[in-house]
Amino acid sequence: DGFRLVAMEAIWDECGADANVEPQNRCLVWQERGGSFAADSRITTAPLLADGVLYVGTQGGIVHAVDAANGEELWSFDADARVEGIAVIPNVIFVTTADGVLIAIAGESGE
């Protein structure tokens, strides 16, 4: 049983029964868009979205890069310790681990 990320789509709906709701009073409703991704273990970082790719780190020390549109894993990287933080600049993913290591990963290949 893995932990799942599920692709969601934001849709707007009216709050309450009044059909004449002003745009600023509309409610955001979430709907599953399809596709999901099962992580290797508990996700320990906030999901980070950059250029259509969702990055997450796990308790098991894996960084996953997932296509945000369809939930398919693009690559994974073994950080050898629980992942505690992720930051992204163009083409580089920076990862911090529980044992105090900072790792730079190539964005396109995951190496």
Side-chain angles (χ1 to χ4, degrees):
D1 294 331
F3 293 83
R4 290 193 126 5
L5 291 174
V6 179
M8 305 295 278
E9 178 178 8
I11 59 172
W12 291 95
D13 199 0
E14 297 173 354
C15 294
D18 186 355
N20 297 316
V21 175
E22 297 293 322
Q24 67 270 22
N25 295 327
R26 292 188 294 173
C27 295
L28 184 61
V29 179
W30 293 95
Q31 174 182 341
E32 185 172 341
R33 183 170 41 177
S36 65
F37 164 76
D40 64 292
S41 60
R42 187 173 72 84
I43 295 170
T44 55
T45 65
L48 181 62
L49 180 64
D51 297 323
V53 178
L54 185 68
Y55 300 95
V56 294
T58 68
Q59 179 76 30
I62 305 296
V63 177
H64 297 279
V66 179
D67 186 314
N70 61 25
E72 291 183 22
E73 185 173 50
L74 301 172
W75 53 259
S76 64
F77 177 88
D78 188 349
D80 291 327
R82 183 180 73 238
V83 179
E84 295 193 335
I86 297 177
V88 176
I89 63 170
N91 299 317
V92 181
I93 292 81
F94 292 98
V95 175
T96 57
T97 65
D99 58 359
V101 175
L102 174 65
I103 301 168
I105 304 169
E108 300 234 349
S109 64
E111 298 177 353

